[in-house]
Amino acid sequence: MTADGSPVIHERPPVPAAAAQKGASITPVFVRLKLTVIRNGLRQSRGRTTGWVIGVCLAVLYALALGVGMTGLRGNHFAPAAALSLAVVLGLGWAVMPLFLFGGDDTLDPTRLAMLPLRPRPLMTALLTSSLVGVGPLFTVLVSTGAVVAVAHGAAATVVAVVAVFLLLLTCVALSRAVAAANTRLLTSRKGRDLALLSGLFVAVGAQLVNLGVSSLSSDGGLHRANSAASVLRWIPPAPAVDAVRSTGRGAYGLAAVQLGYAVVVLASVLRWWYRSLFRLMVSPDASTIQAAPDLARGSRKGFGGGAGRRRGADRWLPASLTGGRTGTVMERQFHYLWRDPRSRAALATGLAVGLLLPLVAVVQHGTIYQCLWAAGLLGMQMYNQFGTDGSAFWTVAATISTRRDAALELRGRALTLLVIAVPYVIVVTAGASLLLGKVAALPETLGLSFASLGALTATGTYASVRFPYAVPQQSPFSSAAPGQSSLVTLNVVGGTLGGAVFCAPVLALSVALHLTGHHALLWTVLPVGAVYGALVVAAALRFTAPRLLDRLPEILAVVGKG
């Protein structure tokens, strides 16, 4: 309202003259907007500009080195396999990039343009053209040029190579935009932020897959297996465009035409998918514009008390002896945290996935069954910094702890929440790996060591959570600690690992002694000894730490509240 009481009218920002004219293309406007976004982003700070320049230089140098390396393979027997693999990796990278960079790149969010008078088809053309401006497209052009040069032989193949690079670039960029548009509402929701937090899991899994691939290629006949894989990769988009260059050089013009046609059909399909996603985002209503009253009315008719008397959530499958009292309440709360809190869920998922992946690597490489100890170790580390993930909400827990018994039951519930997940998981992973490796006789010993390791890490994690807590920033999803508390993270990780190894030493010494003395028939005793020892260590840690938790509640509240 103005001073005289009249309403303030907010005018729409002026549309550029080139775009305002009827029939004028909006593509130049979007290209200028893309350049403006890049320029304004670099103006924010000198450090950001320096980092961007260094990153661009490194990316270009890497692309040039990779392109020159591919060119050096020209005429080599394995050049087609390398070129096709590189094309598939480029397509895969462009496809998954929006899942990790969506929150940091506003240009990937088409809903920001939903209020503008733009039709999906011209918008697609403008977005596709502006997406060709940047470091990513330049990197793709340099690498793909090296890939096609490696398989191009003859003038006709050179002409097809130019078309192949163009098709590969358009397919990659369009695929990236289509994935972003199809998952916009997911990636802007809480589930999308959960997916971003799981990026470390994808990196870990990808690193292990690369390790397996390199190991396979390094073995006898590995490169010949690469050629066999190339016969499959040649039909996975966008590799057909690159393989068309090789087919042209060999004189198989019919096959080259089929492969180029296949690449064009794939590009058209991706563009069609992108168009449908844009149309849905720009025209169709979402859940925020649809009245939810009918659904609430139906829910009220069903009644919220219809589940009275039934066990809900974790109560449905936890033993009745655990669901009553404070221990059951704590476990129920922790299970809800693991399911709803993005950080807790990402940490647990990473531990479970990597703990399964490392034994699988041992199976593929015919390694040792002791790789299964990773499953117990990675899950045992989840016990560290139990209160830091609660953040400022920890005061609601601290308000209910007034006696040593309350503190002991709180710690007991948190430890049991982890053990209820870890113990069955360790049993399944270890038993499966022993069967696949054909080392069933080593199963009792490995399980005993795993139980001892899990108990030792749970015990040291319980004490470290009370003695060395640190705050976890709630607003920064990729920061593990608040500013100034990085040393506490290092102390937890390094000290906890060493402490776990020390507490696990007696059971490990028993196993080593039985091996050295030749009493292999008695290695089964490691299982009961490790299970009992692990349980006793956890019980002793809970009893030792409970009074200290009661005494240190004010300090813990002050520390974890900084997140």
Side-chain angles (χ1 to χ4, degrees):
M1 302 291 288
T2 60
D4 59 357
S6 59
V8 176
I9 300 177
H10 298 277
E11 297 183 355
R12 177 176 295 180
V15 181
Q21 299 175 3
K22 184 177 181 180
S25 175
I26 62 172
T27 301
V29 178
F30 271 74
V31 173
R32 292 197 300 271
L33 285 175
K34 181 65 176 289
L35 295 174
T36 302
V37 168
I38 296 175
R39 183 176 65 251
N40 291 343
L42 297 178
R43 288 178 175 176
Q44 292 183 4
S45 66
R46 189 183 301 274
R48 183 166 182 171
T49 303
T50 304
W52 187 84
V53 172
I54 294 175
V56 169
C57 293
L58 292 177
V60 172
L61 288 176
Y62 180 77
L64 288 173
L66 190 56
V68 171
M70 290 299 302
T71 304
L73 288 177
R74 181 181 173 85
N76 190 283
H77 179 65
F78 300 104
L84 295 177
S85 302
L86 193 58
V88 172
V89 170
L90 282 175
L92 181 62
W94 277 94
V96 302
M97 183 175 62
L99 303 179
F100 298 139
L101 302 182
F102 193 91
D105 187 359
D106 293 336
T107 63
L108 291 175
D109 187 1
T111 58
R112 295 178 177 272
L113 308 172
M115 300 302 295
L116 298 178
L118 301 174
R119 294 183 179 275
R121 201 174 300 278
L123 180 60
M124 275 184 56
T125 305
L127 288 176
L128 182 60
T129 305
S130 61
S131 298
L132 298 177
V133 178
V135 182
L138 177 61
F139 180 91
T140 303
V141 169
L142 293 176
V143 174
S144 59
T145 300
V148 296
V149 169
V151 295
H153 299 280
T158 303
V159 174
V160 175
V162 176
V163 178
V165 171
F166 181 71
L167 283 176
L168 190 147
L169 176 62
L170 286 184
T171 302
C172 289
V173 174
L175 180 61
S176 175
R177 285 289 178 175
V179 171
N183 296 278
T184 294
R185 288 171 182 166
L186 169 65
L187 296 174
T188 53
S189 64
R190 192 186 70 180
K191 292 182 179 180
R193 293 190 292 271
D194 294 357
L195 185 62
L197 285 173
L198 287 173
S199 58
L201 172 60
F202 291 107
V203 171
V205 173
Q208 290 301 322
L209 293 178
V210 171
N211 180 31
L212 286 176
V214 172
S215 300
S216 178
L217 293 176
S218 301
S219 61
D220 295 337
L223 292 178
H224 295 287
R225 285 196 293 270
N227 280 337
S228 300
S231 62
V232 178
L233 294 176
R234 63 189 298 194
W235 297 109
I236 299 178
V242 176
D243 198 56
V245 179
R246 182 173 72 105
S247 300
T248 303
R250 294 166 53 193
Y253 299 111
L255 178 60
V258 171
Q259 290 173 324
L260 285 178
Y262 177 42
V264 172
V265 169
V266 169
L267 176 59
S269 302
V270 171
L271 292 174
R272 179 63 180 173
W273 178 30
W274 185 14
Y275 173 79
R276 293 175 64 89
S277 300
L278 276 179
F279 187 86
R280 187 179 66 253
L281 287 172
M282 307 290 283
V283 178
S284 302
D286 61 0
S288 63
T289 60
I290 299 176
Q291 188 174 1
D295 293 334
L296 292 177
R298 287 195 297 269
S300 63
R301 287 195 297 268
K302 293 180 181 178
F304 293 97
R310 293 185 300 177
R311 301 174 71 186
R312 302 174 56 191
D315 288 350
R316 291 179 295 181
W317 49 273
L318 286 176
S321 59
L322 295 179
T323 55
R326 185 185 180 95
T327 301
T329 303
V330 173
M331 295 181 69
E332 183 76 15
R333 183 185 70 230
Q334 295 303 115
F335 278 119
H336 278 299
Y337 282 174
L338 289 175
W339 178 249
R340 295 182 178 181
D341 180 57
R343 286 182 178 274
S344 301
R345 181 163 45 184
L348 180 62
T350 302
L352 292 173
V354 179
L356 175 63
L357 183 63
L358 293 176
L360 286 179
V361 171
V363 170
V364 173
Q365 297 179 340
H366 303 287
T368 174
I369 193 176
Y370 297 113
Q371 284 275 71
C372 297
L373 295 176
W374 280 104
L378 290 172
L379 288 182
M381 294 298 293
Q382 305 294 320
M383 192 63 193
Y384 287 80
N385 197 33
Q386 281 287 308
F387 308 117
T389 54
D390 291 357
S392 58
F394 179 65
W395 74 268
T396 60
V397 177
T400 64
I401 300 177
S402 57
T403 64
R404 288 189 177 184
R405 176 174 174 78
D406 293 336
L409 292 178
E410 176 69 28
L411 294 174
R412 178 190 176 194
R414 291 175 181 260
L416 285 177
T417 302
L418 176 63
L419 294 176
V420 163
I421 299 173
V423 172
Y425 179 80
V426 168
I427 293 175
V428 171
V429 170
T430 307
S434 65
L435 289 173
L436 294 175
L437 288 171
K439 299 179 180 180
V440 181
L443 176 60
E445 177 197 3
T446 310
L447 275 179
L449 292 174
S450 298
F451 290 153
S453 175
L454 182 61
L457 288 173
T458 303
T460 54
T462 302
Y463 177 76
S465 297
V466 175
R467 184 62 182 84
F468 305 109
Y470 56 89
V472 177
Q474 302 297 319
Q475 302 300 326
S476 179
F478 298 104
S479 299
S480 58
Q485 297 187 1
S486 300
S487 59
L488 291 176
V489 180
T490 305
L491 184 61
N492 271 264
V493 175
V494 178
T497 304
L498 294 177
V502 170
F503 278 100
C504 189
V507 180
L508 181 61
L510 172 63
S511 176
V512 173
L514 291 176
H515 277 285
L516 293 178
T517 57
H519 293 87
H520 300 286
L522 297 177
L523 285 174
W524 65 268
T525 58
V526 178
L527 174 56
V529 171
V532 173
Y533 179 80
L536 291 176
V537 169
V538 172
L542 294 177
R543 186 179 183 86
F544 176 79
T545 310
R548 287 156 181 79
L549 172 60
L550 185 64
D551 296 337
R552 289 182 54 83
L553 274 179
E555 299 178 35
I556 297 174
L557 276 170
V559 171
V560 302
K562 296 179 180 180

